[in-house]
């Protein structure tokens, strides 16, 4: 056995003291309290803790407008006193509530919980996925794919922190976010909820967002519990349709889909929501291997799992692995589901008790599920005084001016310039007059719903009327009017998303315009209502651009406001410039105006590969055989593509020829802003394994750095590669690295290096450093004891 010297221990301790002191306590550190409470609970109280219902079941009339919503005391008492419910979620279908309304709801819920026998607080959950989007007057940030386009994990951390503040201000302590299931199916209607198609980018963004939301202290009123979604493989349905089967072999699951979950679990995420679909014929909610053997045992996850909406019932009604609803409950709980988002009745409670009584669910499994839920409730401080109740002072501190500025910055950094022929952008202000106006048209030009997408005030986010009137000036059209003045903007309502209107007036005006801004894309959607049959953008929108180009050679700036990379092959050559906005949030219109007029230099890069053809939906890390021997890869815009109003040159690219087995490889290069404008730029580093026992991808992203340089400024940047960065999941389904030749590529530079053969030490300091935080707490006590003795 490896023995560590006291000196080595001291050095490691000092080097990690900051991490040790700021890391939140491990969930298992609450087990004494949890087990004491668990010993007092009846089977009924345990089944109740595992039951989650939607808010509709405790409201007088869920169909009333948001400001008339009222909690029904009798229904609430039934839920908590009779069925011992431990968790509630959501808003009613009429949409988001004010902060004051949320305070009233949460106070009533927690007051009722206090009247229960054991006074166990309620864990309230919500989908704050791009801001606290179910709280009125909250900041609505870019959706996840747009945030990923920033390649800025510091920004992701800050957004997570603000979302936590505004969500907890309502008294809500649990957020169903981030989505760390990797997005590699372009048709999937939840693609925009992901951080894109690359493993490293999704890992980094998910960790940063999780740490931003949970902070260093989950009991803080600035923190909420994260819930990783949707474990796992939800994002690769074979047909592209929501909640339909995926076929992902074990090796690909370990290589691509599981690592982002593992990363955020290591970062401390305390809950996980389960994949609604199925993988290889096994529904996510009945997959013992993934839920128990991988998540809970291999990853040592001590938090709890929660089903998605009604998905345990659907083991019976949809997947048909269970002949009855009772069997569905048994399958799910025994697979590893700890809490059921039932959500419209108390059937799970009743059926769980039946299973416990007949022995098909052992009490040991019941206790395990409840223990996991209670750990999180203790970690959130819900048992501490009034910490589970809303703080009335939050009404005054809910919004801060800097939040809107952060939102604007996130939208600016994410927007990606895909094409800019002849440097047509930025627009020349002097060319825009009251006689040569900017024409603005297209279905996404004057709506807020498309800028924000789903989960915005309502589930689908497609109700324009629910947006407050004071936000009407935030559309693309109104943002441009604000910047240029109404007399220099001409607006034509030319089409819906799928229907072209009479555009004769638009065509007649087009030849005298200075520029024509055509805003295309998608209406708001999410989940199954967002299913499509064709990734090609609606024909009416493509014809709009074609007909304008047939009438005039005035520059067309095509703006894409969409959650998926819709195919636009027909109009790429017709557009002088193309801008991808993703779903940029409430400041998207202002951010676009800043970019169009040159007040902000675009720096976004595609976190997804933009396809050219319907049946050629490649990812950037395609296999070599896909581009050889008669096969070819032909996409519209590559992963990582993104233009700027300035230029960046790379030089002095230095890579050592060999990396020793247990050493590291340092890569340096100089980056210079060789243009005339300040600009931000992300340097992407790719590695290619030339030969290995499992066919290698053509390249994989292994590093990126975002920097901001003034015109003419130059700086040196450095990347570090270790053996683990060159690893892969082998034939035997273990992570391994093979010595050999690799190519490292940055921009147009590429060079080979060799990984020398060697042997991994069975015991190492690096392995010691990866112990669980609970062990660190143990070591801290030992260290303190030793120091006291020495003194």
């Amino acid at each position: 056995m490896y023995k560590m010297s006291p000196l080595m221990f001291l050095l490691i301790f000092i080097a990690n003291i900051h991490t040790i002191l700021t890391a939140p306590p491990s969930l298992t550190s609450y087990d004494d309290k949890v087990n004491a409470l668990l010993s007092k609970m009846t089977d009924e109280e345990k089944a109740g803790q595992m039951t989650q219902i939607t808010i509709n079941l405790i409201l007088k009339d869920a169909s009333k407008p948001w400001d008339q919503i009222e909690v029904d005391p009798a229904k609430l008492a039934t839920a908590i006193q009779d069925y011992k419910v431990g968790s509630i979620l959501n808003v009613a279908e009429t949409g988001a509530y004010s902060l004051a309304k949320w305070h009233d709801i949460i106070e009533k819920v927690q007051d009722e919980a206090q009247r229960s026998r054991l006074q166990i607080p309620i864990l309230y959950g919500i989908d704050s996925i791009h801001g606290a989007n179910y709280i009125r007057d909250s900041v609505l940030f870019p959706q996840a794919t747009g945030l990923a386009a920033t390649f800025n994990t510091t920004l992701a951390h800050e957004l997570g922190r603000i979302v936590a503040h505004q969500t907890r201000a309502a008294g809500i302590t649990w957020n169903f976010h981030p989505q760390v299931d990797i997005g590699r199916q372009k048709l999937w209607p939840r693609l925009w909820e992901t951080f894109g198609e690359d493993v490293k980018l999704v890992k980094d963004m998910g960790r940063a967002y999780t740490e931003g939301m949970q902070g260093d202290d989950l009991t803080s009123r600035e923190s909420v519990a994260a819930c990783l979604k949707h474990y796992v493989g939800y994002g690769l349905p074979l047909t592209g349709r929501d909640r339909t089967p995926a076929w992902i072999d074990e090796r690909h699951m370990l290589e691509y889909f599981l690592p982002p979950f593992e990363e955020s679990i290591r970062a401390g995420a305390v809950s996980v929501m389960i994949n609604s679909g199925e993988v290889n014929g096994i529904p996510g909610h009945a997959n013992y291997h993934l839920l128990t053997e991988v998540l809970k045992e291999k990853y040592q996850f001590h938090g709890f799992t929660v089903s998605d909406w009604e998905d345990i019932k659907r083991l019976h009604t949809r997947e048909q692995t269970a002949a009855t609803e009772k069997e569905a409950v048994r399958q799910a709980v025994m697979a590893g589901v700890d809490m059921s988002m039932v959500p419209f009745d108390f059937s799970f409670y009743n059926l769980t008790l039946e299973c416990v009584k007949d022995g098909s669910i052992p009490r040991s499994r019941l206790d395990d599920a409840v223990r996991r839920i209670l750990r999180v409730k203790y970690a959130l401080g819900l048992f501490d005084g009034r910490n589970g109740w809303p703080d009335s002072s939050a009404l005054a501190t809910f919004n801060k001016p800097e939040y809107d500025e952060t939102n604007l910055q996130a939208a600016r950094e994410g927007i990606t310039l895909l094409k800019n022929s002849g440097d047509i952008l930025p627009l020349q202000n002097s060319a825009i007059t009251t006689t040569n106006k900017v024409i603005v048209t297209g279905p996404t030009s004057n709506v807020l719903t498309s800028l924000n997408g789903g989960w915005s005030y309502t589930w689908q986010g497609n109700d324009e009327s629910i947006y407050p009137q004071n936000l009407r000036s935030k559309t693309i059209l109104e943002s441009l009017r604000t910047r240029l003045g109404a007399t220099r903007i001409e607006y034509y309502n030319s089409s819906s998303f799928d229907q072209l209107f009479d555009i004769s007036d638009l065509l007649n005006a087009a030849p005298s315009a200075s520029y024509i801004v055509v805003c295309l894309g998608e209406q708001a959607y999410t989940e199954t209502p967002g299913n499509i049959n064709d990734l090609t953008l609606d024909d009416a929108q493509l014809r709009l651009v074609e007909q304008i180009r047939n009438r005039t050679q005035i520059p067309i700036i095509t703006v894409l406001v969409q959650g998926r990379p819709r195919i636009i092959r027909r109009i790429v050559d017709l557009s002088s410039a193309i801008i991808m906005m993703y779903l940029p949030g409430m400041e998207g219109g202002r951010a676009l105006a800043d970019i169009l007029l040159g007040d902000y230099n675009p720096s976004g890069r595609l976190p997804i590969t933009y396809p050219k053809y319907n049946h050629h939906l490649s990812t950037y890390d395609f296999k070599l055989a896909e581009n050889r021997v008669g096969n070819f890869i032909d996409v519209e815009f590559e992963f990582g593509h993104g233009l700027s109003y300035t230029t960046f040159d790379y030089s002095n690219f230095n890579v050592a020829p060999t990396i020793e087995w247990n050493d590291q490889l340092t890569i340096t290069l100089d980056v210079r802003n060789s243009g005339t404008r300040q600009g931000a730029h992300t340097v992407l580093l790719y590695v290619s394994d030339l030969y290995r026992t499992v066919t290698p991808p053509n390249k994989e992203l292994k590093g990126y750095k975002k920097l901001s340089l003034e015109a003419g400024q130059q700086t040196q940047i450095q990347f570090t590669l270790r053996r683990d960065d060159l690893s892969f999941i082998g034939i035997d389904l273990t992570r391994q690295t093979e010595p050999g030749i690799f190519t490292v590529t940055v921009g147009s530079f590429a060079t080979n290096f060799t990984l020398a053969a060697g042997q991994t030490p069975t015991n190492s300091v690096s392995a010691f450093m990866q112990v669980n935080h609970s062990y660190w707490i143990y070591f801290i006590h030992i260290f303190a004891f030793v120091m006291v003795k020495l003194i």
Side-chain angles (χ1 to χ4, degrees):
M1 177 183 248
Y2 176 77
K3 294 184 179 180
M4 182 174 293
S5 70
L7 177 60
M8 180 61 74
F9 177 84
L10 180 60
L11 290 174
I12 293 172
F13 179 85
I14 292 172
N16 289 272
I17 188 69
H18 175 73
T19 301
I20 295 167
L21 294 179
T22 59
S26 68
L27 290 177
T28 55
S29 69
Y30 298 98
D31 276 359
D32 285 347
K33 293 179 180 179
V34 168
N35 290 333
L37 178 57
L38 197 59
S39 67
K40 301 175 185 177
M41 296 176 69
T42 63
D43 289 346
E44 289 75 15
E45 286 165 329
K46 293 172 184 176
Q49 286 300 302
M50 297 170 66
T51 301
Q52 184 183 58
I53 60 169
T54 186
I55 192 173
N56 298 50
L57 287 188
I58 65 167
L59 297 179
K60 288 183 178 178
D61 185 351
S63 66
K64 284 192 172 183
W66 70 269
D67 54 348
Q68 297 177 34
I69 289 292
E70 293 182 85
V71 172
D72 186 317
K75 291 181 179 178
L76 180 61
T78 296
I80 294 177
Q81 309 305 339
D82 295 347
Y83 290 98
K84 328 296 183 188
V85 163
S87 181
I88 303 175
L89 82 154
N90 214 17
V91 295
E93 288 73 12
T94 50
Y97 307 142
S98 67
L99 196 61
K101 175 65 71 175
W102 272 118
H103 280 207
D104 177 66
I105 292 169
I106 301 298
E107 285 171 0
K108 285 182 168 63
V109 166
Q110 298 296 22
D111 285 346
E112 188 63 43
Q114 278 294 291
R115 288 189 279 271
S116 66
R117 185 179 77 92
L118 294 176
Q119 300 180 325
I120 302 175
I122 298 297
L123 182 59
Y124 205 104
I126 204 74
D127 287 281
S128 290
I129 74 163
H130 71 120
N133 40 265
Y134 280 144
I135 305 171
R136 288 181 170 268
D137 300 319
S138 66
V139 182
L140 296 184
F141 290 112
Q143 298 280 9
T145 306
L147 178 57
T150 69
F151 280 78
N152 187 339
T153 55
T154 301
L155 192 56
H157 185 281
E158 180 64 8
L159 263 60
R161 186 187 69 81
I162 296 171
V163 168
H165 165 77
Q166 292 202 319
T167 301
R168 188 111 184 198
I172 299 171
T173 54
W174 185 24
N175 182 17
F176 304 133
H177 201 57
Q179 164 71 278
V180 295
D181 207 26
I182 195 168
R184 295 171 73 87
Q185 167 55 280
K186 309 296 191 300
L187 284 160
W188 190 44
R190 306 191 76 165
L191 180 72
W192 51 264
E193 292 185 47
T194 76
F195 292 118
E197 71 183 41
D198 175 66
V199 176
K200 177 173 175 55
L201 184 59
V202 176
K203 284 171 62 176
D204 292 351
M205 283 286 176
R207 170 181 274 274
Y209 209 101
T210 296
E211 291 177 337
M213 283 201 307
Q214 294 198 162
D216 297 328
D217 179 10
L218 271 176
T219 67
S220 167
R221 290 188 181 272
E222 299 296 318
S223 301
V224 295
C227 185
L228 307 179
K229 298 189 303 190
H230 292 87
Y231 184 84
V232 57
Y234 187 21
L236 196 69
L238 188 65
T239 64
R241 292 178 172 268
D242 187 49
R243 290 174 163 86
T244 57
W247 296 94
I248 307 170
D249 68 82
E250 186 77 0
R251 206 190 68 77
H252 280 81
M253 184 68 80
L254 291 167
E255 187 79 76
Y256 297 99
F257 295 88
L258 284 166
F261 285 94
E262 182 180 9
E263 183 76 12
S264 288
I265 288 165
R266 302 298 185 208
V270 298
S271 67
V272 170
M273 187 179 291
I274 299 164
N275 170 15
S276 290
E278 64 175 70
V279 176
N280 302 337
I282 304 175
H285 289 75
N287 199 319
Y288 178 83
H289 170 63
L290 288 173
L291 292 178
T292 299
E293 292 179 339
V294 176
L295 178 65
K296 294 181 178 180
E297 295 175 359
K298 180 179 178 181
Y299 295 164
Q300 291 294 290
F301 174 64
H302 299 298
F304 70 90
T305 61
V306 60
S307 82
D308 204 341
W309 191 269
E310 209 174 61
D311 279 338
I312 292 180
K313 287 174 178 279
R314 288 171 178 154
L315 293 176
H316 169 59
T317 61
R318 184 180 63 198
E319 277 74 34
Q320 295 183 233
T321 60
T324 64
E325 281 198 23
K326 179 182 175 183
E327 171 58 16
V329 168
R330 189 203 66 79
Q331 281 185 10
V333 173
M334 294 309 294
V337 181
D338 300 313
M339 180 185 289
S340 172
M341 191 183 291
V342 190
F344 283 114
D345 57 44
F346 303 101
S347 58
F348 176 83
Y349 169 89
N350 291 320
L351 294 173
T352 298
L353 287 175
E354 287 183 26
C355 289
V356 171
K357 288 175 182 175
D358 67 20
S360 57
I361 294 179
R363 282 189 171 82
S364 59
R365 173 67 190 107
L366 191 73
D367 287 353
D368 174 60
V370 178
R371 181 179 292 110
R372 292 169 175 275
I373 295 165
L374 293 179
R375 282 172 181 161
V376 175
K377 290 189 176 187
Y378 273 106
L380 284 164
L382 299 186
F383 289 91
D384 302 337
R386 300 286 294 178
N387 207 32
W389 279 256
D391 182 357
S392 59
S393 67
L395 294 167
T397 61
F398 179 68
N399 264 320
K400 300 176 183 178
E402 59 264 31
Y403 289 177
D404 289 329
E405 289 305 308
T406 300
N407 193 14
L408 175 62
Q409 185 63 20
R412 284 169 167 170
E413 286 197 39
I415 291 174
T416 305
L417 180 60
L418 299 178
K419 180 181 179 181
N420 192 20
S421 294
D423 293 330
I424 195 69
L425 294 179
L427 305 178
Q428 298 301 308
N429 206 328
S430 59
I432 305 168
T433 67
T434 55
T435 53
N436 299 106
K437 303 181 180 185
V438 173
I439 287 179
V440 179
T441 191
T444 62
S445 59
N446 198 30
V447 292
L448 293 171
T449 49
S450 290
L451 291 178
N452 288 287
W455 307 105
S456 300
Y457 299 134
T458 61
W459 172 45
Q460 289 298 301
N462 57 5
D463 184 356
E464 192 78 14
S465 68
I466 202 170
Y467 281 81
Q469 284 300 307
N470 66 318
L471 298 179
R472 294 301 312 167
S473 63
K474 299 282 190 178
T475 66
I476 292 173
L477 171 64
E478 294 304 327
S479 295
L480 287 170
R481 280 176 173 164
T482 298
R483 291 299 307 282
L484 290 171
T487 60
R488 294 200 290 166
I489 296 287
E490 194 75 38
Y491 171 64
Y492 292 93
N493 184 17
S494 56
S495 77
S496 64
F497 291 93
D498 58 2
Q499 182 180 359
L500 190 63
F501 303 151
D502 181 354
I503 60 170
S504 55
D505 289 344
L506 165 62
L507 297 179
N508 290 333
S512 62
S514 55
Y515 304 95
I516 303 170
V517 178
V518 185
C519 303
L520 309 178
E522 298 182 303
Q523 58 190 328
Y525 63 85
T526 189
E527 301 189 47
T528 306
N531 285 343
I532 53 176
N533 295 320
D534 191 334
L535 195 58
T536 305
L537 191 63
D538 297 277
D539 182 68
Q541 298 185 56
L542 299 176
R543 284 194 291 122
L544 174 62
V545 174
E546 289 168 338
Q547 293 195 31
I548 293 172
R549 178 52 73 228
N550 286 338
R551 181 63 65 94
T552 180
Q553 291 303 303
I554 296 297
I556 296 173
I557 292 90
T558 297
V559 176
L560 303 171
V561 188
Q562 55 191 15
R564 292 168 281 212
R566 302 298 294 269
I567 292 172
I568 55 169
R569 184 177 70 256
R570 283 164 45 185
I571 62 172
V572 169
D573 292 341
L574 308 182
S575 305
S576 299
I578 301 174
I579 295 175
M580 177 68 162
M581 290 187 73
Y582 313 94
L583 303 176
M586 198 61 80
E587 294 295 335
R590 184 178 163 194
L592 178 65
D594 288 344
I595 287 172
L596 289 176
L597 297 169
D599 294 334
Y600 188 84
N601 192 347
S603 63
R605 284 180 173 262
L606 285 174
I608 46 178
T609 302
Y610 203 118
K612 184 183 289 187
Y613 304 101
N614 242 328
H615 301 292
H616 195 161
L617 305 182
S618 176
T619 54
Y620 85 94
D621 50 353
F622 57 85
K623 292 300 184 77
L624 296 167
E626 297 179 75
N627 207 29
R628 291 179 180 172
V629 197
N631 296 316
F632 65 94
I633 295 294
D634 185 13
V635 300
E636 200 68 72
F637 303 104
E638 293 184 349
F639 172 92
H641 176 70
L643 304 176
S644 170
Y645 295 156
T646 190
T647 53
F648 296 90
D649 295 336
Y650 300 165
S651 61
N652 298 322
F653 184 55
N654 292 308
V655 182
T658 303
I659 172 176
E660 296 300 326
W661 187 255
N662 289 311
D663 204 349
Q664 63 186 37
L665 183 72
T666 299
I667 300 160
T668 60
L669 72 153
D670 293 337
V671 182
R672 180 174 177 266
N673 181 345
S674 55
T676 59
R677 292 172 177 264
Q678 179 276 339
H681 177 67
T682 303
V683 181
L684 304 177
L685 180 142
Y686 298 96
V687 171
S688 305
D689 191 346
L690 298 192
Y691 298 96
R692 71 184 197 192
T693 51
V694 172
T695 57
N698 77 98
K699 62 181 180 181
E700 294 176 285
L701 184 70
K702 293 299 181 180
Y704 54 88
K705 290 186 183 295
K706 188 161 192 175
L707 57 156
S708 179
L709 297 176
E710 298 295 329
Q713 184 182 358
Q714 179 171 305
T715 189
Q716 184 182 82
I717 62 172
Q718 177 178 302
F719 294 96
T720 301
L721 289 176
R722 297 177 177 82
R723 173 170 41 84
D724 287 349
D725 295 317
L726 310 177
S727 66
F728 63 97
I729 302 299
I731 295 172
D732 63 356
L733 301 182
T734 64
R735 183 159 292 280
Q736 56 195 251
T737 312
E738 295 174 349
I741 302 172
F742 297 78
T743 301
V744 58
T745 304
V746 180
S748 61
F749 287 99
T751 190
N752 289 349
F753 67 90
T754 300
L755 174 65
Q759 185 174 358
T760 306
T762 55
N763 295 283
S764 67
V765 173
S766 61
F768 175 83
M769 294 300 297
Q770 295 177 20
V771 295
N772 187 285
H773 281 125
S774 61
Y775 293 117
W776 274 116
I777 293 169
Y778 175 71
F779 287 132
I780 289 171
H781 285 298
I782 294 176
F783 180 76
F785 175 79
V786 171
M787 292 304 294
V788 169
K789 290 293 185 183
L790 289 175
I791 293 170

